[in-house]
Structure formats: C-alpha cells, structure tokens
C-alpha cells in the first residue's frame, strides 16, 4: 500500500477552551480559516499541543467532529487524529470514529505507562490499532521526551515493514538526526517522515524532509515558509537567521511556563483559544503583560500568522 507523502507546514492545533475549561468548539471553523490563510496544509489534532491526554474520549470525538465538519470539503487540507497510547481499546475506538467522520489519517504513540519492551512489541501495539482502519494512513508519533518510549525509529520501521500495510510514516519529535536520516533513507524513502521539532527545522531540511508538524506553525507560519524558501534558494545565512528567530520565539515558552505559552502567542496573533487544563500551569495576567512586551521585542508582527479574511 502506498500513501501520499505530506508536504509543507502541518499545524498541531490547540484545543480551544472556554472560560470554565470546557471545549469551545465554535471557534474551530475560524481556526481552520486562520490556518488556511497562512498556507498551512493540514492539522494534527488532539496531540501534545492539543491536550489530547487531558481530554475525555467523548471530548476527543467532539473535537474531531468539529474539525471534520469544516475541513472535509478541502482536499488540500489533511487532518490527522492523534489517538493516544495508553489504552489500546480506546485508540481503536477513536481510530474507527476518525474513519467514520472522514479524517485523513490517524496517529498513535507508544504506551507510556506500561511501556513496550522493544521495537517488536511496539510494532505489535501499532498493528493492533492500524489493523482496525486498514484503509487509512497510520502514523507513529515519536516523542520520547514526553512518552518515555525510547525505541529507535529505524528499529520500528524494520519491525513494521511488510507487517502493517497502512503504516504511512512517523511524526518525528526528537533530536536524533542519525536515526531520523536512517528512517528517511529506509527502503528508498518509502515512509513519510514528518519533522516535529520547529526549533531544528533547518537541520531537518538539510536531510531532505518536506513536511513538518509543529505547534509554532499555528502563530508563526510565515516565518517558517520564509526559512524554507531561503533554504531552497541556498541562502543559508538568511535561513540560519530565520531559524534563530524561531529559537528566540520558542525560548519564551520556557521563560513563561512551557507549552501553555503557545495559547498566549495565539491570543497575541488574534485567536483566543483559552487556557490549558491542569496539570499544565498558565501564566498570570501580569505575566501576560510582560510576555507581550517580550514578544514585541522579537518583532513578532513581522512574521506572525495573519488573521483570516472573513471571505475565505
């Protein structure tokens, strides 16, 4: 089975929340238009950025249905559903639901409480889920910093090859470039390797990646498209400067508390997605004012994502 290799910037959207911490699904059509206006080519929903591990099974289905309702008419915008990884039965349920509502693909990470002992066991976990939706592209989500599943992905590809017909590729959110390159060249580039570290995109471009999935593409897609253009034009000095701008932007996440700061960036960019649920800490009102001053110091308005036109 052969699947399309995704290209361009694929956003990892935030799950919009209301003032009480409930889902704010009404904002998702505007969110989709916002991403389209910035040439984003798809969405990886309910992942780390989307707080998938903090959502109930019912809520995940509601989020998926909201994205499907506004994107299923758009053949140039592919939505991938992150299923989770702890409970295989729930992942199968979510995968079949994603298929029923017409999403493009599903993704799964290694079980992170009872962890798989090796690549063979991880491949068996992937197969259990992938086999439930045999006509959908299935991606593994490699993020060992959060999952603690430190299996080399080249070992996983060797284990799943010919074993899972709909295994399409890997969302690779790790810094092991040796492993990533080995995966890129495996079976003459058979599998779709999507880069997942925004702050290291330039290095991944040098290895040949064409598609990336990231949280900062939500609010700074123009910056990364400029970086890609500079790289493609062999203007490596400019490409490095733009990558450093990305790094400076991402450093503010660490300064103000981590992943929740992404929603603060979205608010500055013009789309209020609320706050993160516990146990993630959100910044205070005074911290937000200091954050906005730091963001202005980055000349954020020069490279931030633009708000969608109402006519889109």
């Amino acid at each position: 089975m052969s699947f399309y290799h995704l290209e361009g910037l694929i956003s990892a959207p935030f799950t919009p929340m209301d003032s009480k911490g409930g889902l704010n699904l009404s904002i998702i059509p505007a969110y989709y238009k916002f991403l389209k206006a910035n040439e984003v080519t798809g969405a990886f929903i309910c992942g780390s950025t989307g707080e998938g591990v903090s959502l109930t099974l019912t809520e995940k289905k509601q989020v998926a249905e909201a994205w499907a309702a506004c994107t299923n008419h758009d053949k140039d915008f592919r939505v991938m559903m992150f299923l989770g990884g702890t409970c295989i039965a729930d992942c199968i349920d979510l995968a079949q639901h994603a298929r029923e509502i017409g999403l493009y693909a599903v993704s799964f990470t290694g079980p992170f409480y009872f962890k798989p002992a090796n690549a063979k066991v991880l491949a068996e976990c992937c197969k259990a889920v992938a086999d439930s939706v045999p006509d959908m592209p299935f991606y593994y989500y490699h993020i060992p910093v959060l999952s603690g599943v430190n299996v080399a992905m080249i070992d996983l590809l060797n284990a799943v090859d010919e074993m899972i017909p709909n295994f399409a590729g890997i969302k690779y959110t790790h810094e092991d470039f040796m492993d990533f390159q080995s995966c890129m060249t495996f079976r003459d580039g058979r599998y779709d390797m999507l880069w997942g570290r925004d702050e290291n995109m330039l290095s991944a471009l040098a290895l040949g990646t064409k598609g990336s999935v990231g949280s900062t593409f939500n609010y700074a897609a123009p910056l990364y498209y400029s970086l890609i253009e500079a790289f493609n034009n062999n203007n490596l000095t400019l490409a490095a400067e733009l990558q450093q701008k990305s790094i400076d932007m991402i450093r503010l996440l660490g300064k103000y508390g981590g992943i929740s700061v992404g929603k603060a960036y979205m608010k500055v960019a013009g789309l209020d997605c609320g706050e993160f649920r516990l146990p993630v800490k959100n910044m205070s009102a005074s911290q937000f004012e200091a954050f906005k001053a730091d963001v202005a110091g980055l000349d954020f308005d020069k490279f931030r994502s633009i708000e969608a036109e109402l006519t889109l």
Side-chain angles (χ1 to χ4, degrees):
M1 188 177 294
S2 178
F3 291 108
Y4 178 78
H5 282 211
L6 302 176
E7 297 185 0
L9 303 182
I10 300 161
S11 164
F14 301 93
T15 296
M17 302 288 184
D18 61 27
S19 60
K20 296 181 179 180
L23 298 181
N24 183 11
L25 301 178
S26 64
I27 202 175
I28 288 178
Y31 202 157
Y32 159 65
K33 292 179 181 179
F34 181 86
L35 296 176
K36 283 289 290 186
N38 290 280
E39 301 181 18
V40 172
T41 62
F44 183 90
I45 63 172
C46 295
S48 306
T49 303
E51 299 178 78
V53 294
S54 298
L55 303 178
T56 68
L57 193 66
T58 297
E59 286 176 326
K60 290 179 186 179
K61 290 181 179 181
Q62 291 171 340
V63 171
E65 288 165 4
W67 279 99
C70 61
T71 65
N72 278 0
H73 65 284
D74 188 347
K75 62 181 179 60
D76 296 319
F77 191 90
R78 292 174 169 84
V79 179
M80 184 186 307
M81 175 75 180
F82 176 61
L83 308 172
T86 301
C87 177
I88 301 293
D90 280 352
C91 291
I92 291 172
D93 186 5
L94 283 171
Q96 292 175 338
H97 178 260
R99 181 182 181 277
E100 289 168 4
I101 63 175
L103 298 188
Y104 171 71
V106 294
S107 182
F108 167 83
T109 198
F112 44 84
Y113 188 86
F114 296 126
K115 296 179 179 64
N118 50 47
K120 182 178 183 298
V121 177
L122 179 57
E124 291 172 358
C125 294
C126 291
K127 180 173 175 58
V129 179
D131 281 357
S132 71
V133 285
D135 54 348
M136 286 186 82
F138 175 94
Y139 284 80
Y140 181 72
Y141 180 16
H142 184 47
I143 185 165
V145 69
L146 290 180
S147 70
V149 179
N150 286 300
V151 172
M153 289 296 95
I154 188 60
D155 293 339
L156 179 63
L157 289 186
N158 274 296
V160 302
D161 195 42
E162 306 301 339
M163 173 185 176
I164 305 176
N166 57 327
F167 193 100
I170 298 171
K171 178 185 182 294
Y172 198 100
T173 307
H174 190 37
E175 298 79 22
D176 189 340
F177 287 101
M178 180 176 73
D179 184 42
F180 183 71
Q181 180 169 343
S182 296
C183 293
M184 288 282 293
T185 58
F186 182 80
R187 294 283 302 270
D188 296 321
R190 174 177 181 175
Y191 294 103
D192 189 15
M193 297 299 299
L194 301 174
W195 185 248
R197 279 278 186 238
D198 309 0
E199 61 270 37
N200 300 134
M201 177 186 278
L202 181 55
S203 299
L205 289 172
L207 294 179
T209 192
K210 300 298 183 184
S212 297
V213 181
S215 64
T216 64
F217 306 159
N218 285 292
Y219 47 82
L223 170 66
Y224 293 97
Y225 276 125
S226 294
L227 190 163
I228 293 168
E229 181 180 17
F231 175 81
N232 289 339
N233 290 335
N234 203 32
N235 189 344
L236 299 185
T237 299
L238 176 58
E241 290 174 358
L242 293 168
Q243 183 68 88
Q244 186 60 53
K245 181 67 73 174
S246 159
I247 292 169
D248 293 342
M249 180 179 66
I250 290 169
R251 285 192 192 281
L252 291 187
L253 273 70
K255 180 177 179 179
Y256 286 97
I259 194 170
S260 66
V261 179
K263 282 191 172 181
Y265 267 116
M266 289 298 288
K267 191 173 181 179
V268 173
L271 197 64
D272 190 346
C273 294
E275 295 187 338
F276 267 67
R277 287 179 173 176
L278 288 171
V280 176
K281 185 180 183 299
N282 294 281
M283 66 177 70
S284 66
S286 61
Q287 286 176 317
F288 181 64
E289 293 305 314
F291 167 76
K292 287 195 295 183
D294 280 348
V295 170
L298 294 175
D299 292 327
F300 183 62
D301 282 346
K302 292 183 179 179
F303 59 80
R304 75 170 177 87
S305 295
I306 59 171
E307 295 179 58
E309 296 291 339
L310 294 177
T311 56
L312 183 64

